[in-house]
Amino acid sequence: MNSTPTRTCLVCREKKDKSELFRIVEIDGQYMFDENQTMQARGTYVCKTHECIKRLSKNKKINLSNEDLYKMAITVKKAQKDYLSLLETMKRSEFLSFGINMVTEDIKRIHFLIIAEDISEKNDKRIMRLARENNIKYIHYGSKVQLGAIFDKPEVNLIGIKSKKVARGMTE
Ligand SMILES: [Zn+2]
């Protein structure tokens, strides 16, 4: 079964792999971004997505500094840029499966999943269950339209990486 620790995003309440979340700590009433996940304080977590960071910035109780919010946003932006161009260069290779049907068919050969951030809740649950059952790492990243553009489709909600080497490069 799934051995990677999961935490709940304090904004959207979704349970995710810890690597998909930023850690935030509270010290004497001041919230701080725990960039290296090592601060000795009780942590809460937020998704590494623009959507959740934006919503967090409007949260009055979680009084993160603008500098911390900016740092988080930049980290997300950097990661997204890399993934999009990386996928773009691989789009004609045999390493990619896309869409739920193709990915399900290929599941035994898949090593990493990229799930669109705006995928429906029902499909999201289905895919995360599939990922856990097959011990495949995943991230939520980009929109269906952004992922679709890679394959010249209007929308793609899921991409599977069939190369172990490429998958390792993406999860490092
Ligand atoms: Zn979230």
Side-chain angles (χ1 to χ4, degrees), residues 35-95:
E35 200 173 356
N36 301 313
Q37 311 225 347
T38 51
M39 286 186 184
Q40 296 292 319
R42 213 182 101 78
T44 47
Y45 294 82
V46 63
C47 296
K48 290 181 180 174
T49 64
H50 287 302
E51 176 68 22
C52 285
I53 293 168
K54 202 167 88 191
R55 282 169 62 191
L56 184 68
S57 71
K58 292 174 187 156
N59 185 316
K60 296 233 161 63
K61 190 176 161 259
I62 314 288
N63 56 352
L64 283 163
S65 67
N66 285 330
E67 197 191 7
D68 275 352
L69 287 164
Y70 179 73
K71 232 191 261 174
M72 291 158 98
I74 285 289
T75 306
V76 173
K77 190 158 179 266
K78 271 188 195 151
Q80 293 206 339
K81 245 192 199 157
D82 291 343
Y83 277 121
L84 267 191
S85 49
L86 194 58
L87 289 166
E88 185 68 30
T89 60
M90 292 194 302
K91 69 175 174 182
R92 299 200 201 290
S93 75
E94 69 279 28
F95 297 148

Side-chain angles (χ1 to χ4, degrees), residues 19 82-83 86-87 89-90 93-97 106-114 134-139 159-172:
S19 64
D82 291 343
Y83 277 121
L86 194 58
L87 289 166
T89 60
M90 292 194 302
S93 75
E94 69 279 28
F95 297 148
L96 302 183
S97 288
D106 291 343
I107 200 72
K108 295 292 170 208
R109 291 187 289 144
I110 284 173
H111 299 280
F112 189 56
L113 288 171
I114 294 159
N134 291 278
N135 214 2
I136 300 167
K137 284 199 168 168
Y138 59 85
I139 55 159
I159 297 175
I161 312 291
K162 287 189 276 188
S163 156
K164 209 176 213 169
K165 204 168 155 190
V166 173
R168 206 180 300 130
M170 293 183 107
T171 50
E172 257 159 20

Side-chain angles (χ1 to χ4, degrees), residues 2 6 15-17 19-20 111-115 124 127-128 131-132 136-140 171:
N2 180 36
T6 60
K15 265 196 169 56
K16 290 185 177 180
D17 197 297
S19 64
E20 280 196 86
H111 299 280
F112 189 56
L113 288 171
I114 294 159
I115 307 168
D124 194 36
I127 291 160
M128 287 198 283
R132 291 203 178 105
I136 300 167
K137 284 199 168 168
Y138 59 85
I139 55 159
H140 289 82
T171 50

Side-chain angles (χ1 to χ4, degrees), residues 23-41:
R23 187 170 191 259
I24 294 162
V25 295
E26 191 229 298
I27 298 168
D28 299 330
Q30 174 63 52
Y31 283 85
M32 276 175 266
F33 171 32
D34 181 9
E35 200 173 356
N36 301 313
Q37 311 225 347
T38 51
M39 286 186 184
Q40 296 292 319

